[in-house]
Amino acid sequence: METGNQTRVSYFILLGFSQDSEHQPILFCLFLSMYLITVLGNMLIILAITSDSHLHTPMYFFLSNLSLADICFTSTTIPKMLVNIQTQSKAITYAGCITQMCFFMVFGVMDTFLLTMMAYDRFVAICHPLHYTLIMNPRLCGLLVLMSFFISVTYSLTQSLLTLRLSFCTNREISHFYCELAQALTLACSDTLINHILIYMITGLLGIVPFSGILFSYIQIVSSILRIPSADGKYKAFSTCGSHLSTVSLFYGTGLGVYLSSDAPSWRGMIASVMYTMVTPMLNPFIYSLRNRDIKRALQKVLGKMFHVL
C-alpha cells in the first residue's frame, strides 16, 4: 500500500442500511422494538431462574448466563445504531469502534461456549443420569463459565490490540451497521497478514471446537435415546433437548449465513448480520419459554408478582 494515503483516523463512518431519510423512522422503530423485546425477554428468563429454587440446576444456570450474554451481545451494536439513525449521523469514534469490536467478540464467543456447555449438560443428564449431580456440580459449572469468559476476553483483547497497531487509509467508510473486524481491516494501509491469520486460525478453532463438542454430545444423546425401549421414554428424553437444539440451529445457521455472505453484496451481508446479532438473541427467550414447562411456570410467577405490585 502507498504510505502517502495513511493517516491517524479519529473516526469511522458506518454506512448502515438505507440512505433514504424516509426509511430511517421505520428502521428506528423496528430495531428499537427488537432491542426492547430482546432485553425484556432475556431479563425475564434471568429473573424467572433466579427467583425459582427449582430452577437452580446446571442447565438453567447456563441458560441464565446465555441470556445475560445475549443482552450484552445486542447492547454492543444496537444502541449505537439507534443513536446514529436518530441523529442522522453515521460517525463512530476510533476508540468507540475498537471498543465495540472488542465487546462484540467477547460476547459472541461466550455464546458459543455456553451453548457447548448446555449440550454437555444434556449429554451427562441423559447418558450418565446416575452420576449427573456428581459430575455437574456447582463448582464445575462456575469454573466452566469463568474459563469461557477468560478465553473470550483473551481472544478479543488480542484481536483488538493487533488492530490498534494498524494504520488506516483516508477511506473511513465501513459498509456495515457496526464495527465489524473484517470490514475494518479492509481499510488498513499497513500489513494485515497477522490479523487475517489470527482471524482464520483462532476464529476457526473457536468455532469448530465448540461445534464439535455439541455434535459429539448429541450423537451420544441420540444413541442413548434409541436404546430406551418405550416410545414415551424416548419422547421425554428428547424433549429436554428440543429448546437447546432449536437455539443451536438458529445460532450456527445465522452465523454460517454471515460467513457465507461476507463476500456478497453489502445489503445481503447486513441482513445475515441482523439475523445473527438481533433476531437470534430476541428469539431465544421465546424458544425456551414456549417449549419448557418449568420456565413457563416460573415466568407466570414472576409476571404475577410484577402485576400484583403494580
Side-chain angles (χ1 to χ4, degrees):
M1 287 281 186
E2 294 180 7
T3 56
N5 286 334
Q6 294 180 4
T7 182
R8 179 68 180 177
V9 298
S10 58
Y11 66 92
F12 291 101
I13 302 296
L14 300 175
L15 296 180
F17 294 92
S18 174
Q19 305 293 324
D20 193 341
S21 58
E22 293 180 2
H23 296 155
Q24 299 303 308
I26 298 171
L27 290 173
F28 180 82
C29 292
L30 174 64
F31 294 135
L32 177 61
S33 300
M34 292 173 71
Y35 180 63
L36 292 176
I37 291 169
T38 300
V39 173
L40 180 61
N42 283 289
M43 280 298 296
L44 284 173
I45 292 290
I46 294 170
L47 284 172
I49 291 170
T50 54
S51 63
D52 193 334
S53 59
H54 295 97
L55 300 182
H56 294 175
T57 62
M59 181 176 71
Y60 295 114
F61 172 71
F62 294 137
L63 177 58
S64 61
N65 278 278
L66 180 67
S67 293
L68 180 60
D70 280 343
I71 291 172
C72 297
F73 186 58
T74 54
S75 296
T76 59
T77 56
I78 302 181
K80 176 58 181 173
M81 181 182 64
L82 292 173
V83 169
N84 284 3
I85 293 174
Q86 186 67 16
T87 59
Q88 299 294 306
S89 169
K90 296 181 180 293
I92 183 170
T93 63
Y94 177 78
C97 184
I98 298 296
T99 303
Q100 186 184 72
M101 200 183 295
C102 181
F103 282 104
F104 183 84
M105 286 185 283
V106 168
F107 296 112
V109 174
M110 273 291 290
D111 271 0
T112 64
F113 281 121
L114 287 167
L115 289 172
T116 308
M117 292 173 209
M118 293 168 78
Y120 178 69
D121 173 78
R122 292 298 84 207
F123 159 70
V124 177
I126 293 172
C127 300
H128 305 283
L130 298 178
H131 300 96
Y132 179 75
T133 54
L134 182 64
I135 297 172
M136 300 302 295
N137 58 75
R139 184 180 178 181
L140 176 65
C141 295
L143 282 173
L144 286 172
V145 172
L146 283 174
M147 187 173 65
S148 67
F149 182 71
F150 175 76
I151 294 171
S152 302
V153 170
T154 302
Y155 167 71
S156 177
L157 285 176
T158 304
Q159 286 282 21
S160 300
L161 291 171
L162 283 172
T163 305
L164 283 171
R165 73 179 180 83
L166 300 175
S167 299
F168 289 90
C169 303
T170 52
N171 180 20
R172 302 168 181 174
E173 294 182 346
I174 296 176
S175 301
H176 228 303
F177 61 88
Y178 67 94
C179 280
E180 203 264 334
L181 177 61
Q183 289 278 343
L185 291 181
T186 61
L187 306 181
C189 289
S190 48
D191 186 19
T192 60
L193 179 63
I194 296 174
N195 300 75
H196 282 103
I197 289 173
L198 195 67
I199 287 176
Y200 290 116
M201 286 184 62
I202 307 299
T203 306
L205 194 66
L206 291 175
I208 293 169
V209 172
F211 182 73
S212 298
I214 293 171
L215 197 61
F216 171 79
S217 296
Y218 274 104
I219 289 172
Q220 297 299 313
I221 287 169
V222 170
S223 177
S224 294
I225 289 174
L226 291 176
R227 289 198 295 267
I228 298 174
S230 67
D232 187 52
K234 289 178 181 177
Y235 174 77
K236 285 182 179 179
F238 193 75
S239 64
T240 62
C241 308
S243 299
H244 181 256
L245 266 176
S246 301
T247 303
V248 168
S249 301
L250 192 61
F251 180 81
Y252 278 98
T254 54
L256 184 63
V258 171
Y259 176 78
L260 293 176
S261 62
S262 58
D263 296 325
S266 59
W267 62 268
R268 193 177 298 172
M270 280 192 285
I271 290 172
S273 294
V274 166
M275 293 294 294
Y276 180 69
T277 60
M278 300 187 207
V279 176
T280 301
M282 182 182 70
L283 290 181
N284 283 347
F286 293 100
I287 291 170
Y288 277 95
S289 59
L290 293 175
R291 297 177 64 92
N292 191 301
R293 285 179 294 180
D294 293 331
I295 289 288
K296 196 181 296 184
R297 189 162 46 244
L299 281 173
Q300 288 171 351
K301 289 180 182 178
V302 169
L303 292 171
K305 288 178 183 179
M306 290 172 63
F307 286 123
H308 180 73
V309 171
L310 294 174

